[in-house]
């Protein structure tokens, strides 16, 4: 799977990939030597929640059932966490990532209470959060082309919304005909949470913008337009710094702090003045 625009991995993307990999190695070692029953205490289960082990809602998202399970989730994190981190920022991404996993896990547990013969096993893996990431991405950018390599050979390209529809059908079929150990209810719960989270951001006024990454090229940056959705009736003058400072000094003093704010909190946290500064910077760079 790949997107059609190469994005550098953000800091939170690297943290999540590293954490999942390190915990899987530790889990495998502890289980192989029988040192500690990791799954009993940290995988999400009905019995664990009854015993008050609420921490399982978080810890199960870092456990995996095998190397292939881990690799699939790492691929999703690589492609989709990175894209969502650009829009939501590190904090917003973490909220979305863990919320989707927890709600997906709870839905799987609820199905286990209702149908213990089919959904009663322990839940582990980042799949609920991963499916939620894809759902959030498809909700934000439904027409973004996604390429799947079927059997790692045949490339097939279609919009992100089609991928979301395919995953939803698979999850619903897996719930209706539960004949495997895959937590389809957790996948569906993660997808629904991802969609609702993005829809809520749009309704609350924190509209998500398809943010293009800032790519350093020969000591200069490229900027995407950041004009607010609701424009004032009158035009406010550009900040004095955009007119008076040399380009390099303007970027270091005015633009870099705004880029740091976007990386930490997301583009929706910018003020009108900060958006004007980025727009002025984009025009300055276009004239160079």
């Amino acid at each position: 799977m790949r997107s059609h625009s190469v994005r550098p991995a953000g800091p939170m993307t690297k943290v999540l990939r590293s954490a999942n990999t390190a915990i899987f190695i530790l889990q495998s070692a502890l289980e192989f030597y029988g040192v500690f029953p990791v799954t009993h205490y940290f995988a999400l289960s009905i019995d664990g929640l009854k015993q008050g082990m609420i921490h399982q809602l978080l810890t199960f998202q870092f456990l995996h059932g095998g190397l292939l399970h881990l690799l699939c989730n790492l691929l999703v994190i690589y492609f989709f966490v990175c894209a969502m981190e650009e829009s939501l920022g590190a904090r917003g991404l973490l909220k979305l990532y863990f919320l989707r996993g927890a709600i997906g896990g709870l839905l799987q547990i609820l199905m286990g209470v209702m149908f213990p013969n089919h959904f009663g096993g322990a839940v582990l893996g980042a799949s609920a959060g991963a499916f939620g990431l894809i759902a959030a991405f498809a909700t934000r950018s439904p027409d973004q082309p996604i390429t799947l390599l079927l059997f790692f050979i045949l490339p097939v390209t279609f919009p992100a919304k089609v991928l979301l529809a395919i995953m939803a059908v698979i999850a619903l079929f897996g719930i209706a005909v539960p004949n495997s150990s895959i937590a389809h209810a957790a996948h569906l719960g993660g997808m629904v949470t991802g969609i609702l989270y993005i829809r809520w951001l749009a309704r609350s006024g924190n509209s998500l913008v398809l943010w293009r990454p800032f790519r350093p090229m020969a000591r200069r940056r490229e900027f995407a337009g950041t004009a607010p959705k609701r424009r004032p009736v009158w035009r406010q003058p550009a900040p004095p710094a955009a007119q008076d400072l040399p380009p390099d000094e303007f970027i270091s003093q005015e633009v870099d702090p705004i880029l740091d704010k976007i990386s930490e909190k997301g583009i929706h946290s910018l003020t009108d003045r900060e958006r004007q500064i980025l727009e002025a910077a984009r025009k300055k760079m276009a004239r160079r």
Side-chain angles (χ1 to χ4, degrees):
M1 180 184 298
R2 63 180 175 84
S3 65
H4 286 255
S5 58
V6 178
R7 295 180 174 91
M12 197 51 59
T13 305
K14 297 176 181 178
V15 168
L16 289 174
R17 287 189 341 216
S18 300
N20 276 278
T21 303
I23 292 176
F24 174 73
I25 294 174
L26 179 61
Q27 171 197 352
S28 300
L30 292 177
E31 291 179 344
F32 179 79
Y33 293 105
V35 177
F36 183 79
V38 179
T39 302
H40 174 74
Y41 286 101
F42 297 111
L44 182 61
S45 65
I46 298 175
D47 291 338
L49 293 180
K50 286 181 178 179
Q51 296 173 19
M53 292 189 284
I54 307 299
H55 62 271
Q56 291 181 349
L57 290 170
L58 174 64
T59 57
F60 90 94
Q61 302 183 47
F62 291 95
L63 303 181
H64 290 85
L67 183 59
L68 181 60
H69 189 195
L70 172 69
L71 292 177
C72 289
N73 286 329
L74 289 181
L75 281 176
V76 174
I77 289 174
Y78 176 78
F79 288 110
F80 292 99
V81 170
C82 188
M84 296 309 299
E85 184 174 359
E86 294 173 3
S87 295
L88 297 176
R91 293 180 182 178
L93 173 66
L94 279 183
K95 291 178 183 178
L96 179 56
Y97 183 84
F98 292 120
L99 179 65
R100 286 172 299 191
I103 293 181
L106 284 175
L107 181 58
Q108 184 73 20
I109 291 298
L110 177 60
M111 296 296 293
V113 173
M114 298 172 59
F115 309 100
N117 292 332
H118 301 292
F119 300 92
V123 185
L124 70 165
S127 300
F131 272 59
L133 282 172
I134 299 175
F137 179 86
T139 303
R140 187 202 68 167
S141 310
D143 297 319
Q144 179 75 20
I146 299 292
T147 298
L148 295 177
L149 291 177
L150 297 181
F151 309 109
F152 301 98
I153 299 176
L154 181 63
V156 179
T157 302
F158 41 70
K161 59 186 178 183
V162 175
L163 176 61
L164 176 59
I166 293 173
M167 294 192 313
V169 170
I170 293 175
L172 289 172
F173 179 81
I175 293 174
V177 187
N179 58 356
S180 70
S181 59
I182 299 176
H184 291 288
H187 296 171
L188 183 63
M191 286 188 285
V192 171
T193 305
I195 293 171
L196 293 179
Y197 189 90
I198 299 301
R199 294 297 186 189
W200 174 81
L201 279 180
R203 287 198 301 269
S204 65
N206 296 327
S207 58
L208 293 173
V209 180
L210 184 57
W211 186 252
R212 301 297 183 186
F214 302 98
R215 300 185 179 91
M217 296 179 60
R219 299 184 63 183
R220 55 181 289 186
R221 296 177 183 261
E222 296 179 2
F223 302 90
T226 57
K229 191 173 183 180
R230 296 180 179 178
R231 297 185 178 181
V233 178
W234 64 91
R235 290 191 175 184
Q236 299 179 357
Q243 302 174 359
D244 301 335
L245 294 177
D248 293 339
E249 187 177 351
F250 170 63
I251 290 176
S252 62
Q253 294 185 12
E254 297 289 340
V255 178
D256 284 345
I258 299 177
L259 299 182
D260 293 337
K261 181 177 181 180
I262 293 174
S263 177
E264 180 181 359
K265 300 181 180 179
I267 192 173
H268 57 273
S269 64
L270 297 184
T271 64
D272 289 340
R273 180 179 181 276
E274 290 168 337
R275 292 175 182 271
Q276 292 174 16
I277 291 176
L278 286 186
E279 183 65 21
R282 186 186 66 83
K283 293 179 180 178
K284 249 184 196 298
M285 300 307 297
R287 293 196 297 266
R288 291 181 66 179

